[in-house]
Amino acid sequence: MSKSKFSALAACLCVGLGATAGTPADAAPAKKKPAARKPAARKSAAKPAAKPAAPAGAQLARVEIVPPKFTLSGKGSAQRYLVLGYYANGSMKDLTPSAKVTKTGTGGVRIENGKIVAVSNGAATVSAAVGGKTTTMSVTVQNASDPSEWSFANEIVPVLTKAGCNSGGCHGSPSGRGGFRLSLYGYEPDYDYDQIVKEKKGARLNLNSPTGSSLLQKPTMKVPHGGGMRFKEGSDYYNRMLAWVKAGAPKQPEFDPRLARIEIFPNEWTIDQPDQEQQVIVIAHRDDGTSQDVTQYARYNTNDDAVAEVDDDGIITSTGKGETIIMVRYLGGVGVVSLKVPRDPVPASTYDNFKPVNYIDDAVLEKLREVRVPPSGPASDSEFIRRAYIDTCGLIPTPEEVRAFLDSKDPNKRAKLVDSLLNRPEFVQYWALKWSDLLSNDSDVKKGKGNQVFYRWIKDSIAKNKPYDQFARELITATGSAYRYGPANWYNIRDYDALQLGSNTSQVFLGIRMDCARCHNHPFEAWSQMDYYGLAAFFGKTKFKRGVDEDERIFYAAVDGDVKHPRTSAVVEPKFPAGDFPTFGPDEDRREKLAQWITSPSNPWFKRSIANRLWNNFLGRGIVQPVDDFRLTNPASNQKLLDAMAEKVVAYKFDLKGVMRDILNSRTYQTTSVHNQWNVNDRFYNSRAWPRRMYAEVLLDAICSATGVRDFFGPYERAVAVPDNRLNNGFLDLFGRAKRDLTCECERTEDSNVTMVLNLINGPTVNQKLGSPNGRVMQLLNAKKTPDQITEELYLAALARKPTEKEMAAALKLFSKAPNPKEGAEDLMWGLLNMKEFLLNH
Amino acid sequence: MFYKRSGTLTALCMLLASPALAQGRIPDAPSITGIVPPSGQRGATVEVTLSGQGMEGTKELMCRYSAYPNLIPMQSKGLKAQVLSANDGQVKAKITIPADAPAGLHEIRALSSRGVTTPDYFYVSQYAQHPEKEPNNDVSRSQKVTLPITLAGVVQGGNDRDCYSFEAKAGETLVFDVEGFKRFAPGQNDQEGIVYLDSFIVLMDQTGQELAYDDDSSRVDAFLAYTFPKDGTYTVGIRDSQYRGRGDFHYRLTIGKRPTITAIFPPGGQAGGALSTTVYGYNLDGKGATTMRRGIRLPSQPGVDEFRITTADGISNAVPVVAGAIPETPEKEPNDKATSATSVIAPVTCSGMFDTLDDVDGFRFQGQARQSMIFEVEAARLGSPVDPFISVVTRSGKVIGTNDDAVGMDSRLEVTLPASEEYAVIVRNQTRTGFGPQFYYRLTIRPRKQSFSAQLQQEGINRLGAPVNVNVDSVAVEQGGETEFDLMLNRREGQSGDVKVILSLPPNIKGLDIDQVIKPPRMGNMPSTMPPKIIADPVVKNGQNRISLKIKAPETAPPGNYLNCILKLEGTADSKPFTAEHPFWVTVSPK
C-alpha cells in the first residue's frame, strides 16, 4: 500500500463511521499476504523462519533475545521471544528458529513454541545461542498458580477489535449493524459490556449453554451472520470468548488496569536485501505495572506494500527496496516498526558534487548516503534565481533582474540575492497570502471588514518580521472586535464552536490533525478523546457578542462556558495534548496557558510544524507530508533534518527568516531539478529539486510579468496581494486558489487538468495580454528591437534564461515565416508561456 | 513613532450607532437626506442646499450641537441660518458660522410647515478648508497642501484614494483626523443598502513607503498622531477601508498640530467640587506635551460637560467630564482581589483604570441585609474602550450577581443583599483590548432610587419594511385635526403606581389638547370594530408602560413650529411625589 493509499485509509476509517452498507476493507482482519510470497514454514513465531541464514558476506556482530526483561503473572501466562542477529553491515535478521534457547534459575518456566510459559514463581534466566554468540533475558514469574481475573476491557474487547466486529463498517458504526452496536474499535468498553451482556435482556449470551450464545454462534456462522465468518470454532479467539462466557461474562475487576503503552520488538528492522521475514512482538504495558504479550491481538498495517507487507500474525515480509513503517495498533496504543531496505550500493564518488553548506545539507547528505540515492548537481544561476523568486516572493524575475544576476561575477551573489528577496515588499505579500490561506481568512466568513482587518494584521506581522511564537500567541489569545483587531478573526469561524477551535489550533500550530478523536480515540496516533475535548476545553469560555455592525463579532473570555463529553455529558477540564491538566486563576483566560504551552521552545510539535511548513514551501514537499499530519504512523522522511531545523527555529528566537535564509542558501535547495540515474522518482530525500506547478496567484502574476500587462485586481497590485479570496477572477478559480474553508494547506493542489491547458492555450488570460498595445511584445517592437533581441528578452522574461543556440535558431525561423514581426513575437511568447518550463517552478 | 487614539471616541460612537437606537424611520415624515456642501469653516458664511422631503414652508433651520449627544443635550452654538428658498424636496439657506463655534458635526433640522425634520449633519472646521483635486490617487500625483488644513474630499469609487503631501519637521507631532458624515445617522445607516465611508488613512514617506496607518480609531473614522523622525515631505492617503466608494462618501480630513485629548483621568468628580485631573493626548501645549495636570471646577448640578483645551495651534477635541451626584473615590491599586479591594463607603462613585491587560479592580463596601443596591459601570458611554464586566461577591467568595452588557456595552446590576456584611464588586475589561489611562471607567455603588422618564414613539418601518415603533421628538398636527402617538414610560428601579400625563404649552399657542386613546383589543389578526375609548386626562396606570395619546388642534390654532412644549409626568417615587418633564416639539400645519 502506498503512502497516499494509506492516507486514504486513514480518511476512510473516519468516513466509515457513517457507513451504512457494505463491509469496508478495515472490517476484515488485516489482510493476508499473497500466497506466493508467504513462506510455507512460517505460520507463526512458533515455527522457524524460512530464511534464517546470515546475509551473504556479512559477519554476525551480536545477538539479542527480546524482550530483554519481563514478568509473567498468572497461571499459564506466556510471552513470545525473538532472537535477533545484528550484522557488521548494519542489517538485522530474525535468528529465532535457529537459536538454541535454554533456561536457568529458580523460577519455573518452560520454553514452548517460541514462548516462555509460566510454571512456578521465581526468577529465571533464558539464554539463546546462535552463530557462536549468546544472549540472555531475565524472566520473573509471579502468581503462577493464580488464575487471572477476567478483564472485559483487556481480554474480550481486543478479540472483538481483531476480528473486526467493532469496526466502522460493522457494529462499530454509529448506528451499529443488525441491531447490535459497539463502540468504534472498543474505545468505550463499559458501553460495549452493556451492549453484549445487558442489552436485549442478555439475549446475546447464554450462560447456561455458553456455546449457544449468539456472540459465539454469529461470528462462527453457526447461525447466519451478515458480517460473515469472523473466526472459527476452536480458534484462540473463540476459546477466549467461550471461556469468558463460561466464567459468567464478568465485567472487570474493581480497579481494572488500563493500557499505558505498547512496546514493540523489534521497532527497527534494517536488512540488506528484500524478501525476508520478521516476526513482530507486541507487549501491552498497563497502568498497574503489569504487561502482557498481545501480539496475537494487535492489528498491523504497512505504509508501503512495495517495500513490505505484514500479515495478521505480525509477520513482516519485505517486498522491495526503500523505507517504510509497519503500523501496530492495540486498543488505544499505537506504535511502528521502521523498515529500511537500502537500494543497491552506489559509487562513493556520486556524492562528490554535493558540498554541504550548512546543517541542512549535513542532514540531507547523511540521509542520501543512508538510502543510497546520489544527489543531482547544483542548479544553474537561471534555475536558482527563478526558483528563489517564486518560492520567496511569489513572482518571477524581470529580464533586467535576470540579466544583472547572470552577469554578476560576485561569488556571493546568491546569498546576496537571498537577503534582498527576504526584504522585498513582495515577500510580505506572498507570505501574507500563504498565512491568509492557512488561517482561513475567507471573506465569506470574515464578513464586512473582517477579511481586510485580518489580512492587514497578518501583513503587518510579516512586514515587521514578528517572531512566530508571538504571532501564534497573539492569535491564540485574541480578544476584541473582529472589525478592529485582526487576530480576533482567528475566532471568527463558520459554525462557531470550541471543538472546531481546538481542531484548528492543533492543526495549524502543532501540525496535528486531531479530528478523528472527536468521535473515538485516534486510530493512528495516541490521541484520545480526552486529548481532543481537553484541548477544546481551553476555548469553552471564549465567546462572542454582536458589535455595532450586523456582522461584527466581539470575542472575549467569559467567566462561564464548559466543554462537555458528548456521551457522558461530563465537564471536560482543559488538558494539553499528551500533557497535563493546568490550573487557572479565577479570572485567567484559559487560552493564555495554552498559548504558552504551544509556543514553548520545549514543545516539539510547534517548532517542528513550522520548520516543516517552511520546508514544504521551498522544497515542494514537507519532511512530514501532509505538512499538518504529524503522527507516529506518518514518519518524517528525514527526522534529523526536521529536528535540526526545529532547533534552529528556537535558536533564531522564532525569526522564521533565519531558517528561510538557511534553506535558500543550502546546497540542497540549490540543487538542479534535472535527475540522475538514481533519483528519477525521489520526492522524499531532496536529492533533486522537484518541479511543481505554481500557485494560481503566482502563475497569473508570472503571466502578467512575462507579458508586461497587468490583470485587473481592483485596487490591488497583483494577484498575490489580493486579501479577498473571493475577488471575482475565473483564472484563479480554475487554477485552484485556496477556498479557505479549512485551516489546511491541502486546499491548494498541484493538479492540472484539460481546462487549465485549454485556458492557457486558447483562453483570454494569455491571449489578451499577448496582443496588448502596452505589453512587452509591443514595447520591444516599438523600440525597434531585432528578432534575436526580442527572442532573448522574451526568454529572459518568461524563463529567466537566455535561449540556447538551437532555440534561437528556431525562434528566428518563426519570425521569418510570420506575416509580420508582431505575430512572430506573439507566437514565440505564446509558445514560451505554454512550456512546462514556464508553468512549473523547477 | 505613531500613535492611535484607541477609542476615546470609539466606544461613544458605538453607543450612538447601537442597534437600539436604529429603530427605523417613518416613511412620510419630514426629513433631510443631504447637505451640500456638508461643511464650512468657523467665521464663514456658507450657502447650502438641503435635500429631503416634507420641507415645504421652511422658514427657519434649527442648528444645534453637542459633542456627546447621548450625554449632553443638544444646544445652539450660534450657527445662524437664513432660508433663501424652500419646497417639498429642497431648501436653500445661508449658514453663518460664528468664529467660536465648536469644530465638529452640527445637527441641522428644517422647521417646515409639515413638521420638524429628522436631522442631518454639517461639519464645522477650525482650520481653512480646501477641496481635493483629482487626480491624486498616489504619492507621485498627490495634492500639495500647507498645514494646518481641513481637506474636503469624496471617495468616489473602490479604486479612489486621495493623497495629500505636506512638509513636516523632525520631532513634530501631527494629527490626522477624519470626520465622516454618516456616523451620527444610525437610523439611515441601518437601512438596507445604505453604506457610508469607512475611512482608512495611510501615512507614507516620499517613496511611498508606509509609515503608519489607521482604520477605526475614531469608530468608522480614522485618526492618527505621528511624530516625524526627520524633516521632509510626507504623504497621507485616504480611502475606504473596504475599497468602496460613492459620490456621497464625503470626508473632512484635518491635518495639523491640533491639540488632541485622548483621555482625562479621573474623568469626573462630585458636582460642585474641584476636579484635579490628568489630561492625556498630543500637542497639549506648544511643545507637544502628551500629559498635563488640570483643575476643573465642576458644575453644581449633576450632569456631563465638555472639556477642551486651547493652544496656539487651535482648540482640541472635546472629552466628557462627569459631575456626579454622590461622593467619589478613586481606585487604589493593588486591588486585584476581593481581599485587597479598595475600601469604599456606599453610596459612592469610583473612578478606575486598567493598568495592565490583565488588571482587575475590586471595591469593598459594607452592605445591609435586604438592601436593594445598584452597581453600574459607565465606560463605553463616556468614550472609554473598556467593555466592562462586573461581579458582586460576598466575603466568603460567593458570587451573588454578574453582568456584562446592560446599557450598550456598559454593565449594570441590581442586587438585593442577602446579609449585613462586607461585599466586593469586581470590575474587569472583558475584551482585554488594551490598558492605560484611556481604559477608564466609573463604577457607582448606591441604593436603588426610583424615578421615571418618557419617550415618544410613532409607527414606522424598519429596514426590511416591517412595522416598528420609532422614537420621535416632534409631533405634527393639522389645523382642526388630530395625530396619534405613543408614550413609553420608563419606570426605573422598581417605580410603580399611576403616572399622570399633562400637556404644558408655551404662551404663543393655545387650544391644543391631548387625550388618551384606549383601543379595544384586536380579534386575532383583525382590528376590533369597536370604537376606541377616549379619556380626557391621560394616566399611565400602575403596571403599564405604554399608552396611546392623540394631540388635537383646533381650526383656529395658528400654524407654526412650537419648540417649547412639555409633557409633565406626575407620580410617586420611593413613596414621595415625583415629577418629570419630557420636552417635545409640536408643529401645527395649515389645513
Side-chain angles (χ1 to χ4, degrees):
Chain A
M1 191 181 289
S2 66
K3 287 199 174 188
S4 60
K5 283 180 185 167
F6 181 73
S7 299
L9 172 63
C12 283
L13 282 168
C14 281
V15 171
L17 292 172
T20 54
T23 304
D26 72 301
K31 69 176 185 178
K32 296 290 179 184
K33 292 183 294 182
R37 288 192 181 278
K38 184 153 187 167
R42 185 70 182 246
K43 277 283 191 185
S44 74
K47 296 180 180 176
K51 295 178 180 176
Q59 191 174 357
L60 184 63
R62 65 186 173 88
V63 293
E64 188 179 331
I65 185 167
V66 293
K69 186 179 178 183
F70 61 92
T71 299
L72 292 172
S73 181
K75 188 177 180 181
S77 56
Q79 173 65 56
R80 281 175 177 76
Y81 65 85
L82 292 173
V83 181
L84 306 173
Y86 294 88
Y87 292 82
N89 67 353
S91 66
M92 190 195 83
K93 293 285 178 192
D94 186 350
L95 301 179
T96 311
S98 54
K100 186 181 178 189
V101 183
T102 55
K103 58 134 184 142
T104 55
T106 58
V109 295
R110 68 172 186 273
I111 297 158
E112 181 180 291
N113 291 335
K115 294 179 182 175
I116 314 290
V117 183
V119 176
S120 59
N121 289 349
T125 300
V126 175
S127 305
V130 62
K133 308 283 183 186
T134 58
T135 176
T136 59
M137 60 162 53
S138 305
V139 185
T140 304
V141 181
Q142 59 189 26
N143 309 320
S145 56
D146 298 345
S148 57
E149 253 185 302
W150 280 104
S151 164
F152 175 79
N154 290 325
E155 294 178 80
I156 301 304
V157 169
V159 175
L160 297 172
T161 307
K162 182 83 175 189
C165 307
N166 56 19
S167 66
C170 290
H171 302 291
S173 86
S175 55
R177 186 59 62 91
F180 179 33
R181 190 188 158 208
L182 295 169
S183 68
L184 188 69
Y185 301 126
Y187 293 135
E188 295 176 35
D190 292 348
Y191 175 84
D192 294 340
Y193 182 84
D194 290 347
Q195 289 293 304
I196 292 170
V197 179
K198 297 179 181 172
E199 265 280 307
K200 293 198 170 185
K201 299 179 179 173
R204 293 196 172 98
L205 300 180
N206 187 340
L207 298 179
N208 296 324
S209 173
T211 53
S213 301
S214 67
L215 186 72
L216 289 162
Q217 291 197 319
K218 287 246 179 181
T220 53
M221 290 294 282
K222 291 274 185 190
V223 295
H225 180 222
M229 180 173 286
R230 310 314 304 170
F231 47 76
K232 290 181 179 171
E233 187 177 355
S235 66
D236 288 349
Y237 301 155
Y238 181 89
N239 291 340
R240 183 183 276 206
M241 299 266 274
L242 179 60
W244 175 67
V245 180
K246 280 181 176 173
K251 190 175 184 183
Q252 54 207 23
E254 188 179 356
F255 299 105
D256 191 27
R258 291 298 168 103
L259 181 72
R261 64 185 172 91
I262 62 171
E263 189 174 20
I264 300 166
F265 294 99
N267 55 17
E268 286 185 3
W269 187 32
T270 302
I271 51 179
D272 56 352
Q273 289 297 324
D275 204 21
Q276 298 188 43
E277 285 190 349
Q278 175 65 55
Q279 170 74 54
V280 172
I281 290 176
V282 184
I283 299 172
H285 293 276
R286 304 213 165 89
D287 55 11
D288 64 348
T290 63
S291 58
Q292 185 185 359
D293 183 347
V294 295
T295 307
Q296 189 181 0
Y297 298 99
R299 291 176 295 154
Y300 307 91
N301 291 88
T302 177
N303 249 16
D304 187 352
D305 53 12
V307 178
E309 293 177 341
V310 62
D311 76 1
D312 205 23
D313 298 319
I315 299 172
I316 307 170
T317 304
S318 64
T319 54
K321 295 185 175 180
E323 290 185 322
T324 191
I325 59 155
I326 305 297
M327 177 170 63
V328 182
R329 292 177 284 161
Y330 174 76
L331 293 179
V334 180
V336 295
V337 180
S338 301
L339 173 60
K340 291 175 192 166
V341 190
R343 291 163 181 78
D344 293 334
V346 292
S349 61
T350 54
Y351 295 90
D352 289 350
N353 71 51
F354 192 99
K355 307 288 184 207
V357 171
N358 58 23
Y359 61 95
I360 289 170
D361 297 330
D362 293 339
V364 169
L365 184 58
E366 184 180 334
K367 190 72 184 182
L368 292 176
R369 287 187 196 280
E370 186 184 311
V371 296
R372 296 173 180 166
V373 179
S376 292
S380 67
D381 279 350
S382 284
E383 271 184 289
F384 173 73
I385 186 175
R386 192 172 193 272
R387 190 189 302 163
Y389 265 68
I390 293 171
D391 289 334
T392 314
C393 296
L395 79 165
I396 58 172
T398 63
E400 296 73 30
E401 289 167 332
V402 176
R403 205 173 266 123
F405 186 72
L406 298 183
D407 292 347
S408 169
K409 305 292 181 210
D410 185 342
N412 292 322
K413 66 180 181 180
R414 291 196 179 191
K416 286 180 178 171
L417 179 71
V418 167
D419 285 341
S420 74
L421 288 174
L422 292 173
N423 290 306
R424 283 178 68 133
E426 291 91 345
F427 171 89
V428 177
Q429 293 168 350
Y430 175 67
W431 288 90
L433 172 74
K434 286 189 67 89
W435 278 106
S436 286
D437 287 351
L438 184 57
L439 298 174
S440 205
N441 187 14
D442 179 4
S443 63
D444 198 38
V445 177
K446 279 75 169 160
K447 288 183 180 173
K449 298 178 64 165
N451 169 261
Q452 292 282 352
V453 171
F454 199 12
Y455 180 81
R456 259 278 167 186
W457 178 82
I458 293 169
K459 198 173 156 201
D460 281 356
S461 299
I462 295 164
K464 291 174 189 163
N465 201 25
K466 184 181 286 176
Y468 177 60
D469 57 338
Q470 183 188 342
F471 179 79
R473 276 195 300 274
E474 288 178 12
L475 283 165
I476 296 167
T477 61
T479 53
S481 165
Y483 273 23
R484 292 172 53 77
Y485 184 54
N489 284 286
W490 171 239
Y491 287 91
N492 196 6
I493 60 172
R494 208 188 292 277
D495 303 326
Y496 184 88
D497 85 319
L499 303 182
Q500 191 59 49
L501 293 172
S503 291
N504 290 354
T505 303
S506 164
Q507 188 167 0
V508 169
F509 299 115
L510 302 175
I512 296 171
R513 297 180 181 183
M514 218 180 264
D515 280 330
C516 287
R518 183 170 189 154
C519 304
H520 51 78
N521 293 353
H522 199 297
F524 303 129
E525 187 51 285
W527 304 121
S528 66
Q529 279 192 293
M530 184 62 84
D531 288 309
Y532 180 84
Y533 288 96
L535 178 60
F538 284 100
F539 302 100
K541 294 184 176 182
T542 307
K543 297 186 177 178
F544 70 86
K545 51 190 174 186
R546 209 196 108 163
V548 174
D549 291 303
E550 194 167 354
D551 292 318
E552 181 182 359
R553 287 177 170 185
I554 298 173
F555 295 88
Y556 62 96
V559 292
D560 60 332
D562 288 313
V563 167
K564 293 183 176 174
H565 191 283
R567 191 178 59 78
T568 65
S569 296
V571 172
V572 180
E573 293 300 324
K575 174 186 175 297
F576 300 130
D580 301 328
F581 293 87
T583 54
F584 303 98
D587 285 308
E588 190 172 354
D589 184 346
R590 291 172 166 187
R591 301 172 304 163
E592 294 280 353
K593 283 218 166 77
L594 178 67
Q596 285 168 18
W597 178 84
I598 285 179
T599 60
S600 162
S602 61
N603 185 325
W605 293 291
F606 183 66
K607 55 192 174 189
R608 282 182 190 157
S609 168
I610 190 60
N612 194 46
R613 286 187 193 279
L614 295 182
W615 191 257
N616 179 54
N617 176 77
F618 289 100
L619 278 298
R621 191 181 193 283
I623 303 170
V624 170
Q625 186 73 11
V627 290
D628 50 10
D629 196 10
F630 277 64
R631 56 187 151 84
L632 193 61
T633 48
N634 182 31
S637 58
N638 189 337
Q639 190 65 46
K640 278 189 182 169
L641 172 63
L642 181 61
D643 290 344
M645 285 205 298
E647 289 316 312
K648 280 290 181 182
V649 168
V650 175
Y652 290 142
K653 297 186 167 38
F654 293 95
D655 171 2
L656 299 187
K657 279 190 184 176
V659 179
M660 291 183 194
R661 189 176 285 108
D662 292 346
I663 294 173
L664 286 160
N665 284 325
S666 71
R667 167 64 173 79
T668 305
Y669 181 78
Q670 296 183 16
T671 298
T672 180
S673 58
V674 180
H675 63 79
N676 58 31
Q677 68 185 92
W678 299 280
N679 66 5
V680 177
N681 296 317
D682 174 29
R683 280 217 74 180
F684 303 125
Y685 307 116
N686 309 112
S687 63
R688 55 178 287 218
W690 192 269
R692 54 199 196 275
R693 182 166 68 72
M694 288 186 264
Y695 285 174
E697 293 89 339
V698 178
L699 178 58
L700 184 49
D701 286 343
I703 292 170
C704 295
S705 170
T707 57
V709 182
R710 274 190 62 175
D711 211 315
F712 180 72
F713 304 114
Y716 313 109
E717 288 171 51
R718 61 183 187 126
V720 165
V722 176
D724 182 358
N725 58 318
R726 291 178 188 267
L727 183 89
N728 191 21
N729 189 304
F731 185 94
L732 297 180
D733 289 336
L734 176 62
F735 283 83
R737 65 173 153 182
K739 288 190 168 60
R740 300 184 182 172
D741 280 339
L742 308 171
T743 50
C744 180
E745 296 197 30
C746 58
E747 280 194 323
R748 285 185 184 274
T749 65
E750 295 174 18
D751 296 344
S752 52
N753 57 44
V754 168
T755 322
M756 292 180 189
V757 175
L758 290 174
N759 184 291
L760 291 167
I761 290 174
N762 210 20
T765 309
V766 170
N767 284 306
Q768 285 177 1
K769 289 181 172 52
L770 286 178
S772 167
N774 302 319
R776 188 178 301 280
V777 167
M778 280 309 295
Q779 284 178 6
L780 290 169
L781 290 168
N782 291 341
K784 309 290 184 202
K785 298 289 183 186
T786 59
D788 59 335
Q789 289 173 320
I790 292 173
T791 301
E792 181 176 304
E793 193 73 6
L794 296 186
Y795 264 82
L796 288 170
L799 308 179
R801 67 174 173 86
K802 293 178 182 174
T804 63
E805 282 182 20
K806 198 174 163 188
E807 287 168 333
M808 178 61 88
L812 294 178
K813 194 173 169 186
L814 179 72
F815 271 99
S816 67
K817 288 189 173 179
N820 54 57
K822 179 172 180 287
E823 282 194 34
E826 285 178 6
D827 285 353
L828 174 61
M829 193 61 179
W830 178 88
L832 291 174
L833 295 184
N834 277 286
M835 285 175 73
K836 280 185 187 170
E837 190 180 348
F838 173 77
L839 300 170
L840 300 180
N841 177 18
H842 52 86
Chain B
M1 185 173 189
F2 74 94
Y3 319 93
K4 289 180 181 182
R5 184 170 62 192
S6 61
T8 299
L9 291 180
T10 300
L12 173 80
C13 298
M14 289 172 83
L15 183 74
L16 292 175
S18 67
L21 290 178
Q23 294 180 356
R25 65 196 173 91
I26 299 168
D28 299 325
S31 56
I32 305 179
T33 53
I35 304 176
V36 178
S39 65
Q41 192 191 351
R42 282 170 161 185
T45 297
V46 184
E47 202 169 304
V48 298
T49 302
L50 316 182
S51 51
Q53 66 178 16
M55 298 194 292
E56 68 265 30
T58 298
K59 292 185 181 134
E60 201 180 333
L61 300 183
M62 184 196 290
C63 306
R64 305 189 302 171
Y65 174 84
S66 168
Y68 298 94
N70 258 49
L71 305 172
I72 306 167
M74 286 274 184
Q75 52 194 291
S76 171
K77 291 289 181 182
L79 266 65
K80 302 281 185 218
Q82 180 192 352
V83 175
L84 305 173
S85 68
N87 59 37
D88 175 60
Q90 195 179 75
V91 171
K92 287 184 182 292
K94 202 182 272 184
I95 296 178
T96 303
I97 309 165
D100 61 350
L105 287 169
H106 290 245
E107 179 195 272
I108 308 288
R109 294 174 189 253
L111 307 182
S112 86
S113 61
R114 286 188 49 199
V116 181
T117 64
T118 55
D120 204 345
Y121 295 87
F122 181 80
Y123 179 68
V124 172
S125 67
Q126 63 174 313
Y127 301 132
Q129 286 193 30
H130 291 268
E132 68 155 319
K133 286 179 197 150
E134 295 277 5
N136 57 358
N137 253 38
D138 47 48
V139 174
S140 62
R141 290 181 293 175
S142 61
Q143 183 177 337
K144 291 182 175 44
V145 298
T146 305
L147 308 186
I149 192 169
T150 293
L151 289 149
V154 182
V155 177
Q156 296 279 0
N159 295 326
D160 189 16
R161 181 171 76 159
D162 299 337
C163 293
Y164 305 97
S165 62
F166 55 89
E167 301 296 322
K169 297 208 174 305
E172 186 175 59
T173 298
L174 292 180
V175 165
F176 304 82
D177 195 5
V178 180
E179 192 80 65
F181 287 84
K182 293 290 184 185
R183 63 179 191 165
F184 283 148
Q188 282 189 47
N189 295 343
D190 210 33
Q191 287 173 47
E192 196 164 30
I194 299 232
V195 292
Y196 45 86
L197 174 68
D198 181 355
S199 56
F200 187 100
I201 55 175
V202 182
L203 185 61
M204 295 165 280
D205 66 13
Q206 241 174 328
T207 66
Q209 180 75 33
E210 189 175 304
L211 302 174
Y213 69 87
D214 186 67
D215 182 355
D216 276 350
S217 281
S218 186
R219 171 56 184 131
V220 295
D221 288 338
F223 173 90
L224 199 60
Y226 188 86
T227 304
F228 290 83
K230 56 184 179 185
D231 291 6
T233 304
Y234 297 87
T235 301
V236 63
I238 176 169
R239 62 169 170 84
D240 183 84
S241 77
Q242 297 178 61
Y243 294 101
R244 303 166 308 179
R246 210 171 48 199
D248 62 348
F249 274 28
H250 294 280
Y251 64 85
R252 297 296 179 261
L253 167 61
T254 293
I255 313 172
K257 288 174 72 179
R258 191 198 73 182
T260 300
I261 304 174
T262 54
I264 60 169
F265 191 85
Q270 192 170 9
L275 175 67
S276 175
T277 191
T278 304
V279 182
Y280 301 87
Y282 312 109
N283 298 325
L284 297 178
D285 63 12
K287 295 174 185 167
T290 53
T291 61
M292 66 190 303
R293 296 287 300 172
R294 282 294 284 266
I296 301 172
R297 170 60 62 184
L298 294 168
S300 57
Q301 290 302 312
V304 183
D305 218 346
E306 291 175 14
F307 175 72
R308 299 173 190 262
I309 59 164
T310 304
T311 71
D313 293 302
I315 300 174
S316 76
N317 59 314
V319 292
V321 57
V322 185
I326 54 178
E328 306 233 351
T329 303
E331 65 154 328
K332 294 184 186 71
E333 293 280 2
N335 59 350
D336 288 9
K337 295 176 183 168
T339 48
S340 60
T342 303
S343 184
V344 297
I345 299 168
V348 67
T349 294
C350 313
S351 295
M353 74 162 84
F354 294 105
D355 303 306
T356 65
L357 209 56
D358 298 316
D359 192 14
V360 173
D361 292 339
F363 301 88
R364 286 183 294 156
F365 72 99
Q366 184 66 38
Q368 302 302 318
R370 296 181 297 284
Q371 191 177 20
S372 284
M373 295 292 289
I374 304 292
F375 306 90
E376 182 160 6
V377 182
E378 298 166 282
R381 76 189 92 167
L382 296 179
S384 164
V386 167
D387 176 11
F389 182 93
I390 53 171
S391 349
V392 179
V393 297
T394 65
R395 197 179 174 83
S396 62
K398 184 183 174 192
V399 178
I400 58 171
T402 61
N403 183 257
D404 176 9
D405 299 334
V407 185
M409 291 175 78
D410 286 349
S411 312
R412 185 177 186 279
L413 187 59
E414 185 171 335
V415 175
T416 301
L417 301 180
S420 296
E421 64 165 322
E422 195 169 60
Y423 295 86
V425 188
I426 311 292
V427 186
R428 65 188 182 103
N429 180 17
Q430 193 172 42
T431 48
R432 299 167 70 251
T433 44
F435 57 89
Q438 293 168 46
F439 288 76
Y440 62 85
Y441 62 89
R442 285 165 56 82
L443 165 70
T444 295
I445 305 171
R446 61 171 172 81
R448 199 165 72 160
K449 188 181 178 192
Q450 295 176 353
S451 66
F452 50 74
S453 63
Q455 174 64 52
L456 306 187
Q457 293 188 329
Q458 284 183 313
E459 192 170 291
I461 54 171
N462 67 11
R463 68 185 179 91
L464 302 174
V468 65
N469 290 314
V470 178
N471 291 345
V472 295
D473 39 27
S474 70
V475 178
V477 59
E478 210 171 72
Q479 284 175 313
E482 53 189 39
T483 300
E484 278 194 25
F485 60 98
D486 284 359
L487 180 143
M488 290 282 296
L489 187 72
N490 180 12
R491 299 178 187 270
R492 294 202 187 95
E493 303 182 10
Q495 190 276 334
S496 61
D498 292 356
V499 175
K500 285 187 198 166
V501 182
I502 301 156
L503 177 64
S504 168
L505 294 171
N508 55 347
I509 177 74
K510 290 189 170 62
L512 268 58
D513 197 8
I514 55 167
D515 289 335
Q516 185 172 358
V517 182
I518 301 177
K519 293 170 186 165
R522 295 170 73 90
M523 310 290 285
N525 287 330
M526 299 293 290
S528 170
T529 52
M530 299 283 288
K533 188 176 167 187
I534 306 297
I535 298 171
D537 299 315
V539 176
V540 188
K541 292 280 190 190
N542 185 26
Q544 278 187 319
N545 289 318
R546 172 190 287 273
I547 59 169
S548 291
L549 301 172
K550 69 176 176 185
I551 186 163
K552 299 176 297 183
E555 298 269 2
T556 55
N561 305 103
Y562 301 97
L563 306 181
N564 300 319
C565 305
I566 289 171
L567 286 175
K568 274 192 176 173
L569 309 169
E570 292 179 359
T572 58
D574 294 320
S575 307
K576 291 177 193 160
F578 182 85
T579 305
E581 293 188 346
H582 183 82
F584 74 124
W585 307 319
V586 175
T587 299
V588 176
S589 50
K591 193 172 182 182

